[in-house]
Structures are given as structure tokens and as C-alpha cells.
Coordinates of all heavy atoms in Angstrom, one line a residue:
V277 N 0.8 -1.2 0.0 CA 0.0 0.0 0.0 C 0.9 1.2 0.0 O 2.0 1.2 0.4 CB -1.0 0.0 1.2 CG1 -1.8 -1.2 1.2 CG2 -0.2 0.2 2.5
S278 N 0.3 2.3 -0.4 CA 1.0 3.6 -0.4 C 0.8 4.2 1.0 O -0.2 4.6 1.4 CB 0.3 4.6 -1.5 OG 1.0 5.8 -1.5
A279 N 1.9 4.2 1.7 CA 1.9 4.4 3.2 C 2.3 5.8 3.6 O 3.5 6.2 3.4 CB 2.8 3.4 3.9
P280 N 1.4 6.6 4.2 CA 1.8 7.9 4.8 C 2.8 7.6 5.9 O 2.6 6.7 6.7 CB 0.5 8.4 5.3 CG -0.6 7.8 4.4 CD -0.1 6.4 4.2
L281 N 3.8 8.5 5.9 CA 4.9 8.4 6.9 C 5.2 9.7 7.5 O 4.8 10.8 7.0 CB 6.2 7.8 6.3 CG 6.2 6.5 5.6 CD1 7.5 6.2 4.9 CD2 5.9 5.4 6.6
T282 N 5.8 9.7 8.7 CA 6.4 11.0 9.2 C 7.8 11.1 8.5 O 8.3 10.1 8.1 CB 6.5 11.0 10.7 OG1 7.5 9.9 11.1 CG2 5.2 10.7 11.4
W283 N 8.3 12.3 8.6 CA 9.7 12.4 8.0 C 10.7 11.6 8.9 O 11.7 11.0 8.3 CB 10.1 13.9 8.0 CG 9.4 14.6 6.8 CD1 8.3 15.4 6.9 CD2 9.8 14.5 5.5 NE1 8.0 15.8 5.6 CE2 8.9 15.3 4.7 CE3 10.9 13.9 4.8 CZ2 9.0 15.5 3.3 CZ3 11.0 14.1 3.4 CH2 10.1 14.9 2.7
D284 N 10.5 11.5 10.1 CA 11.4 10.7 11.0 C 11.3 9.2 10.5 O 12.3 8.5 10.5 CB 11.0 10.8 12.4 CG 11.5 12.2 13.0 OD1 12.3 12.9 12.4 OD2 11.0 12.5 14.1
E285 N 10.1 8.7 10.3 CA 10.0 7.3 9.9 C 10.6 7.0 8.5 O 11.1 5.9 8.3 CB 8.4 7.0 9.8 CG 7.8 6.8 11.1 CD 6.3 6.6 11.0 OE1 5.6 7.2 10.1 OE2 5.8 5.7 11.7
L286 N 10.6 8.0 7.6 CA 11.1 7.8 6.3 C 12.6 7.4 6.3 O 13.1 6.7 5.5 CB 11.0 9.1 5.4 CG 11.5 9.0 4.0 CD1 10.8 8.0 3.2 CD2 11.5 10.4 3.3
A287 N 13.3 7.9 7.4 CA 14.7 7.7 7.5 C 15.1 6.2 7.4 O 16.2 5.9 6.9 CB 15.3 8.3 8.8
D288 N 14.3 5.3 7.9 CA 14.6 3.9 7.9 C 13.5 3.0 7.4 O 13.4 1.8 7.7 CB 15.2 3.4 9.2 CG 14.2 3.6 10.4 OD1 13.1 4.1 10.1 OD2 14.6 3.4 11.5
A289 N 12.5 3.6 6.8 CA 11.3 2.8 6.3 C 11.7 2.0 5.1 O 12.5 2.3 4.3 CB 10.2 3.8 5.9
E290 N 10.9 0.9 5.0 CA 11.0 0.0 3.8 C 9.6 -0.2 3.3 O 8.7 -0.6 4.0 CB 11.7 -1.3 4.2 CG 13.1 -1.3 4.6 CD 14.0 -0.7 3.5 OE1 13.7 -0.9 2.3 OE2 15.1 -0.1 3.8
P291 N 9.4 0.0 2.0 CA 8.1 -0.1 1.4 C 7.4 -1.4 1.6 O 6.2 -1.5 1.8 CB 8.3 0.2 -0.1 CG 9.6 0.9 -0.2 CD 10.4 0.4 1.0
G292 N 8.2 -2.5 1.7 CA 7.6 -3.8 1.9 C 7.0 -4.0 3.2 O 6.3 -5.0 3.4
D293 N 7.2 -3.1 4.2 CA 6.7 -3.3 5.5 C 5.2 -2.9 5.6 O 4.5 -3.2 6.6 CB 7.4 -2.4 6.5 CG 8.9 -2.9 6.7 OD1 9.1 -4.1 6.4 OD2 9.7 -2.1 7.2
F294 N 4.7 -2.3 4.5 CA 3.3 -1.7 4.5 C 2.5 -2.4 3.5 O 2.7 -2.2 2.3 CB 3.4 -0.2 4.3 CG 4.4 0.5 5.2 CD1 5.6 0.9 4.7 CD2 4.1 0.7 6.5 CE1 6.5 1.6 5.5 CE2 5.0 1.4 7.4 CZ 6.2 1.8 6.9
D295 N 1.5 -3.2 3.9 CA 0.7 -3.9 3.0 C -0.7 -4.0 3.5 O -1.1 -3.5 4.6 CB 1.3 -5.3 2.6 CG 1.4 -6.2 3.8 OD1 0.5 -6.2 4.7 OD2 2.4 -7.0 3.9
I296 N -1.6 -4.7 2.8 CA -3.0 -4.8 3.1 C -3.3 -5.4 4.5 O -4.3 -5.2 5.0 CB -3.7 -5.6 2.0 CG1 -5.2 -5.3 2.0 CG2 -3.4 -7.0 2.0 CD1 -5.9 -5.9 0.8
R297 N -2.3 -6.2 5.0 CA -2.5 -6.8 6.3 C -1.8 -6.2 7.4 O -2.2 -6.3 8.6 CB -2.1 -8.3 6.1 CG -3.0 -9.1 5.3 CD -2.6 -10.6 5.1 NE -3.7 -11.3 4.4 CZ -3.5 -12.5 3.7 NH1 -2.3 -13.0 3.7 NH2 -4.5 -13.1 3.2
T298 N -0.7 -5.4 7.1 CA 0.0 -4.8 8.2 C -0.5 -3.4 8.5 O -0.4 -2.9 9.6 CB 1.5 -4.7 7.9 OG1 1.8 -4.0 6.7 CG2 2.1 -6.1 7.8
M299 N -1.0 -2.7 7.4 CA -1.4 -1.3 7.6 C -2.6 -1.1 8.6 O -2.6 -0.2 9.4 CB -1.7 -0.7 6.3 CG -2.1 0.8 6.3 SD -0.9 1.9 7.2 CE 0.3 2.1 5.8
P300 N -3.6 -2.0 8.6 CA -4.7 -1.8 9.5 C -4.2 -1.8 11.0 O -4.7 -1.0 11.8 CB -5.6 -3.0 9.2 CG -5.4 -3.3 7.8 CD -3.9 -3.1 7.6
E301 N -3.3 -2.7 11.4 CA -2.8 -2.7 12.7 C -2.0 -1.4 13.0 O -2.2 -0.8 14.1 CB -1.9 -3.9 13.0 CG -1.4 -3.9 14.4 CD -0.5 -5.2 14.6 OE1 -0.3 -6.0 13.7 OE2 0.0 -5.3 15.8
R302 N -1.2 -1.0 12.1 CA -0.5 0.3 12.2 C -1.5 1.5 12.4 O -1.3 2.3 13.3 CB 0.4 0.5 11.0 CG 1.0 2.0 11.0 CD 1.8 2.2 9.7 NE 2.1 3.6 9.4 CZ 3.0 4.3 9.9 NH1 3.9 3.8 10.8 NH2 3.2 5.6 9.6
F303 N -2.5 1.5 11.6 CA -3.5 2.6 11.6 C -4.2 2.6 13.0 O -4.5 3.6 13.5 CB -4.4 2.4 10.5 CG -5.3 3.7 10.2 CD1 -4.8 4.7 9.4 CD2 -6.5 3.8 10.8 CE1 -5.6 5.8 9.2 CE2 -7.3 5.0 10.7 CZ -6.8 6.0 9.9
A304 N -4.5 1.4 13.5 CA -5.2 1.3 14.8 C -4.4 1.8 15.9 O -4.9 2.4 16.9 CB -5.6 -0.1 15.0

């Protein structure tokens, strides 16, 4: 998924960490 991030998170984020199954938990 296209994942909104903070600028601090962008520093070490990996696109593969955000998908249809992980994003709902993050959002909650």
C-alpha cells in the first residue's frame, strides 16, 4: 500500500513493510 509516513519514519522505512495486512494494525 501507499503508506503515509512521518519524516522521521522515512529515514529507515522499507516499502515492503506496509501492505494490506500490516497497515490496519499500524493505523489502529
Side-chain angles (χ1 to χ4, degrees):
V277 305
S278 182
L281 302 172
T282 66
W283 283 99
D284 286 344
E285 288 177 318
L286 179 64
D288 58 6
E290 293 299 332
D293 293 339
F294 310 103
D295 60 39
I296 197 173
R297 289 176 174 163
T298 62
M299 182 56 81
E301 181 179 1
R302 167 183 164 84
F303 193 87

